[in-house]
């Protein structure tokens, strides 16, 4: 019913203001979850989830902030499902976590801000179970990072608000620094064998709205292509598909219409875009994952208190299925990570508990949701 209403409402005005937009398949029926789940707790009270990483070895790394500062926790999802114990690997006072990326398979690259002598610094650390080594610190804000071989690539704005993507080695020595001469905040960097993909946004002061910007560059810092969305989108996440395309998700913000937005790009430009525009219905779109033939992402209407929605589409953006996931003990849930491995499903969720305090849950099990009945 929700999709039928959405379709009928979109036939008129939205067809004019978003003439390039294509509607999601309204025939897909939502389905509910199976309540056979296990919760992994153990975070400090009122902890705020800042970043979460699923590594190639099957380990979950969670970066949080609480009253004492920054903390990193790990849990071996694939190897220790029977003993769900979080391990604290790092604590830092006067620091805030911003991004986590896997580095050389046995370490984590941590992006954080630190307060030192009343000055806020953006810092990058390489963290293992034994130590945390600082490799870079600067007063220009760093927005995101990724890793390739032994290098760390990161994005920042200079004093003139020009966007930069730079590369350093394991001891912080600069390899290259590309300036794009434009005010773009690259909030997501992804490194593959083919190059470095960047997704971010720029702000139009005249329109007071945001547009998503995507780029690809080589591993030696050469810009290969750059594109921008026509729609006004608050970018949430990005992923690289096996065919080399970059897919982004976010929240549509077109006039009085809002909803989730997903688009796919290659070197020639936009391949396709999809959305579910609904009048006056704010959404919060979060994480995305991609495998060999499909793309999955999560979103939630802001007024929904105990549920979120998982959507799976194929490589052409057509909906395969849509699943409403309900939660107990988490109000206004935001899915920050979901993984499916060998029939095991995992969700990392942030939200509020019954006392209106920040809370984090790791939820996993076999059959967190079921396939829709034919």
């Amino acid at each position: 019913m929700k999709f039928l209403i959405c379709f009928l409402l979109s036939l008129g005005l939205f067809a004019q203001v978003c003439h390039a937009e294509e509607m999601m398949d309204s025939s897909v029926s939502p389905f509910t979850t199976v309540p056979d789940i296990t919760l992994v707790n153990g975070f400090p009270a009122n902890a705020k989830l800042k970043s979460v990483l699923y590594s190639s070895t099957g380990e979950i790394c969670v970066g949080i902030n609480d009253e004492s500062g920054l903390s990193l926790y790990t849990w071996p999802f694939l190897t220790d499902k029977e003993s769900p114990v979080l391990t604290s690997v790092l604590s830092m006072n006067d620091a805030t976590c911003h991004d986590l990326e896997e580095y050389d398979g046995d370490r984590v690259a941590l992006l954080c801000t630190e307060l030192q002598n009343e000055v806020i610094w953006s810092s990058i650390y390489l963290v293992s179970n034994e130590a945390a080594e600082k490799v870079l610190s600067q007063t220009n804000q760093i927005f995101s990072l990724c890793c390739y071989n032994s290098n760390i690539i990161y994005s920042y704005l200079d004093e003139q608000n020009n966007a930069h993507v730079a590369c350093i080695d394991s001891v912080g020595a600069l390899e290259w620094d590309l300036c794009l001469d434009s005010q773009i905040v690259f909030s997501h960097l992804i490194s593959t064998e083919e190059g470095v993909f960047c997704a971010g946004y720029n702000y139009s002061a005249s329109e007071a709205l945001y547009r998503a910007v995507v780029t690809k560059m080589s591993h030696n810092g050469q810009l290969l292509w750059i594109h921008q969305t026509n729609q006004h989108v608050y970018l949430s996440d990005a992923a690289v598909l096996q065919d080399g395309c970059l897919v982004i998700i976010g929240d549509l913000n077109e006039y009085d219409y809002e909803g989730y937005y997903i688009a796919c790009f290659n070197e020639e430009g936009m391949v396709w875009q999809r959305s579910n525009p609904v009048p006056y219905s704010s959404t919060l779109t979060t994480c995305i994952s991609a495998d060999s033939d499909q793309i999955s992402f999560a979103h939630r209407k802001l007024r929904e208190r105990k549920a979120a929605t998982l959507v799976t589409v194929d490589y052409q953006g057509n909906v395969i299925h849509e699943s409403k996931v309900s939660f107990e003990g988490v109000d206004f849930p935001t899915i920050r990570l979901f993984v499916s491995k060998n029939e095991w499903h995992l969700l990392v969720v942030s939200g509020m508990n019954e006392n209106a305090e920040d809370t984090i849950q790791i939820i996993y099990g076999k059959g967190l949701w079921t396939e829709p009945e034919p």
Side-chain angles (χ1 to χ4, degrees), residues 203-279:
Y203 177 72
S204 171
S206 60
E207 299 174 292
L209 290 170
Y210 294 85
R211 283 187 172 90
V213 180
V214 295
T215 71
K216 181 183 178 182
M217 58 191 63
S218 67
H219 284 295
N220 60 9
Q222 178 185 2
L223 182 65
L224 301 178
W225 50 259
I226 182 168
H227 305 298
Q228 178 177 275
T229 60
N230 295 322
Q231 277 68 35
H232 302 297
V233 177
Y234 296 109
L235 182 69
S236 298
D237 206 352
V240 177
L241 307 183
Q242 287 194 353
D243 60 6
C245 291
L246 176 65
V247 62
I248 63 170
I249 61 166
D251 295 305
L252 183 69
N253 184 15
E254 284 279 350
Y255 304 93
D256 295 329
Y257 287 83
E258 297 179 340
Y260 64 74
Y261 173 89
I262 179 170
C264 182
F265 296 86
N266 61 19
E267 65 275 6
E268 298 179 357
M270 183 181 291
V271 181
W272 51 260
Q273 60 181 346
R274 305 284 188 269
S275 72
N276 69 333
V278 180

Side-chain angles (χ1 to χ4, degrees), residues 46-347:
N46 220 9
K48 296 180 183 295
L49 179 59
K50 293 296 185 177
S51 186
V52 58
L53 166 69
Y54 176 71
S55 74
S56 60
T57 60
E59 188 171 66
I60 306 297
C61 185
V62 179
I64 70 164
N65 270 88
D66 58 14
E67 295 176 353
S68 62
L70 180 156
S71 297
L72 294 186
Y73 290 82
T74 61
W75 176 56
F77 166 57
L78 285 184
T79 60
D80 196 15
K81 300 186 186 72
E82 302 304 321
S83 303
V85 178
L86 288 166
T87 301
S88 177
V89 295
L90 177 68
S91 295
M92 298 172 59
N93 295 326
D94 297 323
T96 300
C97 177
H98 292 285
D99 201 359
L100 297 170
E101 293 293 334
E102 185 175 4
Y103 183 85
D104 272 356
D106 59 352
R107 286 186 285 179
V108 172
L110 163 67
L111 170 61
C112 66
T113 52
E114 299 179 277
L115 181 62
Q116 298 178 7
N117 299 323
E118 299 183 353
V119 177
I120 297 178
W121 296 78
S122 284
S123 301
I124 296 176
Y125 286 82
L126 291 179
V127 182
S128 66
N129 290 331
E130 293 80 25
E133 177 185 0
K134 183 184 292 188
V135 295
L136 179 69
S137 194
Q138 64 181 45
T139 54
N140 294 103
Q141 182 179 355
I142 300 175
F143 296 100
S144 59
L145 58 78
C146 65
C147 302
Y148 181 74
N149 292 337
S150 297
N151 289 336
I152 302 172
I153 302 109
Y154 62 98
S155 64
Y156 71 96
L157 294 178
D158 62 20
E159 289 79 3
Q160 288 74 41
N161 285 328
N162 290 318
H164 287 251
V165 178
C167 177
I168 57 175
D169 63 17
S170 59
V171 296
L174 183 66
E175 297 284 330
W176 50 263
D177 189 328
L178 174 65
C179 177
L180 278 74
D181 296 321
S182 182
Q183 186 175 350
I184 305 169
V185 174
F186 285 120
S187 53
H188 297 83
L189 302 183
I190 305 170
S191 181
T192 72
E193 294 293 332
E194 302 300 321
V196 180
F197 293 82
C198 310
Y201 59 88
N202 61 11
Y203 177 72
S204 171
S206 60
E207 299 174 292
L209 290 170
Y210 294 85
R211 283 187 172 90
V213 180
V214 295
T215 71
K216 181 183 178 182
M217 58 191 63
S218 67
H219 284 295
N220 60 9
Q222 178 185 2
L223 182 65
L224 301 178
W225 50 259
I226 182 168
H227 305 298
Q228 178 177 275
T229 60
N230 295 322
Q231 277 68 35
H232 302 297
V233 177
Y234 296 109
L235 182 69
S236 298
D237 206 352
V240 177
L241 307 183
Q242 287 194 353
D243 60 6
C245 291
L246 176 65
V247 62
I248 63 170
I249 61 166
D251 295 305
L252 183 69
N253 184 15
E254 284 279 350
Y255 304 93
D256 295 329
Y257 287 83
E258 297 179 340
Y260 64 74
Y261 173 89
I262 179 170
C264 182
F265 296 86
N266 61 19
E267 65 275 6
E268 298 179 357
M270 183 181 291
V271 181
W272 51 260
Q273 60 181 346
R274 305 284 188 269
S275 72
N276 69 333
V278 180
Y280 308 105
S281 178
S282 296
T283 59
L284 177 63
T285 307
T286 52
C287 60
I288 187 171
S289 65
D291 57 26
S292 59
D293 58 359
Q294 62 187 31
I295 308 160
S296 299
F297 61 96
H299 76 102
R300 173 178 62 82
K301 291 183 179 179
L302 294 184
R303 64 175 178 267
E304 288 184 298
R305 183 165 183 172
K306 290 187 177 294
T309 301
L310 299 179
V311 181
T312 299
V313 302
D314 61 21
Y315 268 23
Q316 287 72 49
N318 303 308
V319 173
I320 299 173
H321 63 247
E322 185 171 60
S323 166
K324 184 77 71 174
V325 184
S326 301
F327 300 95
E328 293 297 330
V330 181
D331 289 345
F332 309 109
T334 298
I335 299 175
R336 302 292 295 275
L337 174 74
F338 65 97
V339 179
S340 294
K341 291 289 183 181
N342 302 324
E343 298 182 352
W344 285 85
H345 306 299
L346 175 139
L347 302 171

Side-chain angles (χ1 to χ4, degrees), residues 44-49 65 350-353 355-360:
N46 220 9
K48 296 180 183 295
L49 179 59
N65 270 88
S350 63
M352 309 292 290
N353 63 19
N355 298 319
E357 298 171 327
D358 290 290
T359 187
I360 304 167

